[in-house]
Amino acid sequence: MMGKYLVGIDVGGTTVKCGIFTVEGELQDKWEVPTRKEENGKNILPDVAEALKKKLQEKSIASDEVAGIGIGVPGPVEPTGYVHVCVNLGWTDRWPAKEMAELMGGKIHCAVGNDANVAALGEMWQGGGKGHENILMVTLGTGVGGGLIVDHHIIAGVHGAGAEIGHIHVRDGEKEACNCGGHGCLEQYASATGIVREAKRVLAAEEATASKMRDFGDALTAKDVCDLAKAGDALAEKSIGISMHYLGLVLADVSMVADPELFVIGGGVSRAGQYLIDLIKKEYEALTPLLNKKADITLATLGNDAGMYGCAKLAMD
Amino acid sequence: MMGKYLVGIDVGGTTVKCGIFTVEGELQDKWEVPTRKEENGKNILPDVAEALKKKLQEKSIASDEVAGIGIGVPGPVEPTGYVHVCVNLGWTDRWPAKEMAELMGGKIHCAVGNDANVAALGEMWQGGGKGHENILMVTLGTGVGGGLIVDHHIIAGVHGAGAEIGHIHVRDGEKEACNCGGHGCLEQYASATGIVREAKRVLAAEEATASKMRDFGDALTAKDVCDLAKAGDALAEKSIGISMHYLGLVLADVSMVADPELFVIGGGVSRAGQYLIDLIKKEYEALTPLLNKKADITLATLGNDAGMYGCAKLAMD
């Protein structure tokens, strides 16, 4: 590799997060570009390329000093780099890496990956998973996402379903359907939405027990449940315990398939911090009697920048 | 690679299965060597080396025509090739590949892997998974074993627990303990032993329903359960249905972690054939609504030779 710099471009539904890094992983500068989704998102990559060229000029970085540009896409990416459909961007039938390379003059190596997978790569490179080569990153947000890295490489899966751990079945007899059409998926209990749903079920089932969760009514959030659980509210503790039991169960499943050395927990819900990690760890460890040595569980550290970091790392590989 | 031949050596608890292959995967000759476990199994590799030298001489194959020798070990093998303990062979603190290379004169490349993992590699190379690069091999025998291959490479896991799918939790509330110490592992329902246990539970729970399974008493085997289910015995169909539901569930879990293109089902129980595959497929497909295109499920074809084939393939990589 000749260049000294890497560029990470994490394309989201509303903004594109861009960053220039040294090949050692030090962030030099970052900025955002609005995601223009109109006309099937045809302006998104040209907008990014224009802003990037300007930024490189501003920082007196020549094209041949850029070792690579990585692009993260919020949807499935085939191993060839082909994007069949990306609903969140309005894209159909696109080759984002090839297009970006052309926009930048045809001489810079470009790569593309799915956003959840590149976020895992980012956390491994410069975040909670630094120093490790085999990790599962879990994103607890509106949904439950995952990114699996084995021996430094993303396991994307032949149908793009690699590390789709939010859709592992954990509860029999569930009546409500998950977004995927299944019943009893992890996402239904451990996402921000799922944590609230479970809390409301616990409240309904234990009508006679007092809980401050009741004061929030329909406005109850996952953060409220975690905060009240930390404060000792019995029903909040019970419901977050159920949610994290299922997450621990899924991490145990992942250990029995890919056996990583570390789980990195990120996403909005993970702001509950070490309290949440301790809950997950307790469940996970009880469910992996086969392992003499358990995988560790830790918090993600890069927040919303994880994808941008991972895009840069992707361009290096 | 210079040589035209590969050697596969699958070390089992009672016999060592040895085979000479062309690098294209055609079996040239195979033979067995008894496994002498006395004195911490110190004779096992020398016995194999002696027999191999004789065989090569007999077939007029020179050492430099052998591209590599692969060894399968019935226990955990670290990524470095180190075997800490192998209870089934009496080994502790061994480097099987290094030792075999020395025994053969120091010039032939040797490799070592876990037996379940190399069996998966064998089925991918020349068996039910031929033509694929991403498979999970499931062995339904006394226990439930697995071998996961992603992009041609074995996923052994950092603690050697890769593809230990027999110990994925599938049933809550199980009272009996699994060999691993857990409760409700797949192995407790879908192994040969597990299928019989489940059948006996179904018989006990449905005392009023007639079933030919009752005639077998304590001698009931997994084969009997499958045969009677095929013949339309209602309780046999019910119990094998439960067992295969759990297997289908675990394959769905694996799809949401590693997303392979094919599941290859082997081991003694798989002699029940296409009937079993159809049962598993029905459950698996119902449990993977996220996948537009499902992984296929097929029978293993190499039987007890899968490990030997996989050892040879391992030596080539």
Side-chain angles (χ1 to χ4, degrees), chain A residues 246-302:
Chain A
Y246 289 131
L247 178 54
L249 182 60
V250 162
L251 300 191
D253 289 351
V254 172
S255 279
M256 298 298 115
V257 179
D259 188 16
E261 56 195 324
L262 182 69
F263 295 101
V264 179
I265 314 293
V269 174
S270 73
R271 291 199 203 104
Q274 194 59 38
Y275 172 81
L276 208 70
I277 299 295
D278 292 342
L279 276 181
I280 303 165
K281 209 178 256 189
K282 197 186 101 218
E283 299 293 330
Y284 166 75
E285 294 190 349
L287 286 158
T288 48
L290 193 73
L291 295 179
N292 294 321
K293 202 169 172 300
K294 316 281 180 186
D296 201 4
I297 304 177
T298 192
L299 287 166
T301 63
L302 299 177

Side-chain angles (χ1 to χ4, degrees), chain A residues 116-138 146-155 163 254 258-265 295-296 298, chain B residues 158:
Chain A
N117 291 334
V118 295
L121 205 55
E123 285 290 341
M124 184 195 74
W125 191 34
Q126 296 295 332
K130 195 170 178 176
H132 297 270
E133 302 184 352
N134 293 274
I135 72 163
L136 179 83
M137 157 118 195
V138 179
L148 177 62
I149 315 276
V150 173
D151 293 338
H152 261 276
H153 295 290
I154 291 171
I155 305 291
V254 172
D259 188 16
E261 56 195 324
L262 182 69
F263 295 101
V264 179
I265 314 293
D296 201 4
T298 192
Chain B
V158 298

